[in-house]
Amino acid sequence: MASGDGQDAGDLEVSVRWRGPAAVVTVGGEIDLVTAPELGEVVGGVLEREPGVLVVDLRAVDFLSSSGLQVLAGAHRKLDAGALRVVSTSTITSRPFTSTGLDEWIALFPSVDQALAGVAGAGG
């Protein structure tokens, strides 16, 4: 796992960048039963570095399965309340959160900057 470079696991592309104490994981492609474990590895590696906030940008995701939701729910359980923030501008990625009620615990935002608002040291 490369911490700053894109990774390709079939139809999934994942990159990580740090903005102060916040990690921003940008995901593109399909998050399904085959690719969710790779996303889990990347997210797990980020969590080992104990970010103050973890932003997962799903704007370039074409499909989000329950396997992907499980990865994000697992990350939520390992972080302080409100520390996991998801960026979504499409029903493809927001509907799974709202239909399962996960949006009650994991906040959805329309942009990375809005997800990082109020995070000291994250900068714009």
Side-chain angles (χ1 to χ4, degrees), residues 31-110:
I31 305 173
D32 57 22
L33 188 60
V34 173
T35 61
E38 182 69 21
L39 176 61
E41 285 184 31
V42 173
V43 169
V46 169
L47 292 176
E48 287 177 4
R49 294 182 58 187
E50 300 181 356
V53 169
L54 172 57
V55 175
V56 180
D57 184 354
L58 301 179
R59 289 178 293 178
V61 168
D62 302 321
F63 179 77
L64 176 60
S65 74
S66 60
S67 300
L69 288 179
Q70 289 174 346
V71 169
L72 297 174
H76 166 72
R77 286 190 295 271
K78 294 177 182 176
L79 292 164
D80 292 336
L84 175 60
R85 303 169 184 189
V86 171
V87 177
S88 171
T89 55
S90 163
T91 58
I92 290 170
T93 52
S94 64
R95 185 173 290 140
F97 284 92
T98 57
S99 66
T100 60
L102 273 177
D103 63 322
E104 305 253 338
W105 292 280
I106 300 172
L108 301 176
F109 294 86

